[in-house]
Amino acid sequence: IGEKYVEAPVKILFIPLDTGVDELKEKNTYHKFESRAEKVTPNKDAKHVFNPHIAGLYATTVCLLKEELESAKDCWGLLDTDTKGETTLTKINNLWKNLNEEQKNLLSYIAYDNRYKFVTIGRDSKSGGKDRTWLNKDKERELLLSEIEIFNPDIIVFQGKTCLDNCNTKELKEKYGKNNVFEAYHPSCWQKGANKLKDIKETFDK
């Protein structure tokens, strides 16, 4: 949960597949809200701050906030340029050092949940369906819907088509608006090197 989510001009809730690796397996514990937020938010002092997933998360956030925040509008103008021979992931990482503090902190305006609540203990890989499963499919669906209600978002973005398994988006679109619930590509596909800003514009910039 971003520290500015409550005051965000548009509250955006991202729902990807799962938490990925078991980051705290050595301590056999779980992230607190603060430590998880730090894990997701890039380090402003790092030279290369984004992995493919967080790069997609950041670029989508910039796109969705560009009409609401001047910092996002300016950042989108820098992102939405044709740079030949440069992948989107590389472009964002190269752009990072030239952004101001507000632009670097745009992920603090969003909230971030997971469709699957559990992954294999000690999981080392960030991907793989074999490492995610339902313990109680109906209860976990109810949990997700309860979480969405608590977040009370203006926009919901499901990252990955399999996120929709056992989730009735029709019900969500009726409650939050059909134009406010998105079924988007999972940003992990950015790892393939394609220019995924095109996907973002086609999905959100309408």
Side-chain angles (χ1 to χ4, degrees):
I1 304 173
E3 60 182 9
K4 295 184 179 180
Y5 178 74
V6 174
E7 62 189 72
V10 175
K11 294 182 175 62
I12 308 168
L13 174 62
F14 287 91
I15 305 176
L17 288 166
D18 55 53
T19 192
V21 297
D22 184 0
E23 294 169 341
L24 298 178
K25 63 180 179 180
E26 300 299 332
K27 298 180 180 179
N28 193 29
T29 186
Y30 305 94
H31 275 295
K32 295 181 179 179
F33 285 124
E34 295 80 8
S35 65
R36 184 58 183 161
E38 290 175 2
K39 191 71 178 178
V40 171
T41 305
N43 183 338
K44 63 182 177 61
D45 298 319
K47 293 181 179 179
H48 296 284
V49 292
F50 290 110
N51 61 42
H53 191 167
I54 302 304
L57 186 71
Y58 181 79
T60 304
T61 298
V62 171
C63 181
L64 290 172
L65 289 178
K66 69 183 185 330
E67 303 298 332
E68 307 294 335
L69 295 172
E70 196 67 28
S71 56
K73 179 181 178 181
D74 292 342
C75 189
W76 181 252
L78 295 172
L79 280 175
D80 190 23
T81 56
D82 184 18
T83 309
K84 293 183 179 180
E86 189 175 57
T87 66
T88 308
L89 179 59
T90 302
K91 179 189 291 187
I92 293 177
N93 274 320
N94 289 341
L95 179 65
W96 185 255
K97 60 181 178 290
N98 298 318
L99 299 179
N100 61 40
E101 197 65 27
E102 178 64 20
Q103 290 169 328
K104 290 180 177 181
N105 205 32
L106 287 172
L107 287 181
S108 65
Y109 287 98
I110 66 142
Y112 184 87
D113 201 351
N114 285 302
R115 181 67 187 92
Y116 289 83
K117 304 305 179 185
F118 306 98
V119 296
T120 305
I121 295 174
R123 178 181 181 180
D124 292 317
S125 173
K126 286 183 176 294
S127 62
K130 62 181 175 56
D131 282 313
R132 75 176 74 96
T133 186
W134 305 109
L135 298 186
N136 187 317
K137 197 170 185 178
D138 292 336
K139 291 295 183 182
E140 288 176 56
R141 177 182 178 278
E142 291 174 13
L143 176 60
L144 176 68
L145 294 177
S146 296
E147 289 172 338
I148 293 174
E149 187 172 349
I150 292 170
F151 279 116
N152 191 28
D154 299 304
I155 295 174
I156 302 170
V157 181
F158 285 92
Q159 294 183 312
K161 300 299 183 181
T162 54
C163 273
L164 305 176
D165 180 28
N166 195 38
C167 187
N168 187 351
T169 55
K170 180 180 179 182
E171 177 183 338
L172 291 173
K173 288 177 179 179
E174 289 176 352
K175 183 172 183 177
Y176 295 96
K178 65 179 182 179
N179 296 322
N180 297 323
V181 180
F182 294 93
E183 303 163 14
Y185 287 102
H186 193 283
S188 62
C189 65
W190 286 40
Q191 203 147 15
K192 303 183 188 308
N195 189 329
K196 295 300 177 180
L197 283 175
K198 178 181 178 183
D199 294 334
I200 290 177
K201 287 192 287 185
E202 289 178 351
T203 303
F204 303 102
D205 195 16
K206 298 177 179 179

